[in-house]
Amino acid sequence: MEKGDYIKYHSIIAITGFIIFLAVLFLMHFIHPEFTFNDHFMSEYALGEFGWLLNIAFIGNLIGSIAFIIALYYAYPPPYRSIISLIFYGIATIAILTNFFPIDPAGEFVTLSGTIHNLGGFFGGLAGIIFFIIHTIRLHSF
């Protein structure tokens, strides 16, 4: 397989994974219309009988993120490639795994599972932001 085919293949997987993630989130909004993004976290959709749907969304996001890292690694030659930014995106990708720990409902007792979920969300989000900043600066400098 040529390098270009490898990049194309992983890019298609990444886009498909992200589309699955967004489609399930869109669907969950109709299943739980009482939840809005203004006053609830998306992980609260997992509470209840349709929580398995959100797990499918997280799996799509996880697979899409892994494929995105691989595609980025091969897409840019070493002078443009930022290993540090890919490491931060890798941390953000690993943090997606903490979404499988159920979140605690708002106002209820904090459990270990909810704490792991919240810490993963915080550090994953922070690592994702750092990735985008470093990656943008790195590409802009060349």
Side-chain angles (χ1 to χ4, degrees), residues 101-133:
F101 290 89
I103 192 170
D104 298 321
E108 295 203 11
F109 182 74
V110 178
T111 63
L112 177 63
S113 174
T115 302
I116 291 170
H117 182 96
N118 291 337
L119 287 174
F122 173 76
F123 288 113
L126 182 63
I129 291 168
I130 292 171
F131 158 77
F132 284 112
I133 291 170

Side-chain angles (χ1 to χ4, degrees), residues 79-100:
Y80 299 102
R81 186 183 310 145
S82 172
I83 297 298
I84 298 297
S85 70
L86 293 178
I87 288 171
F88 276 107
Y89 197 76
I91 292 169
T93 300
I94 291 169
I96 294 171
L97 293 173
T98 64
N99 288 321
F100 294 104

Side-chain angles (χ1 to χ4, degrees), residues 20-21 24-25 27-28 31-32 42-61 99-100 102:
I20 289 169
F21 176 73
V24 171
L25 274 183
L27 177 65
M28 292 299 278
I31 292 174
H32 290 290
M42 75 174 158
S43 295
E44 290 185 46
Y45 284 130
L47 303 174
E49 64 180 297
F50 294 105
W52 60 274
L53 271 174
L54 198 61
N55 285 338
I56 290 173
F58 291 142
I59 290 169
N61 193 10
N99 288 321
F100 294 104

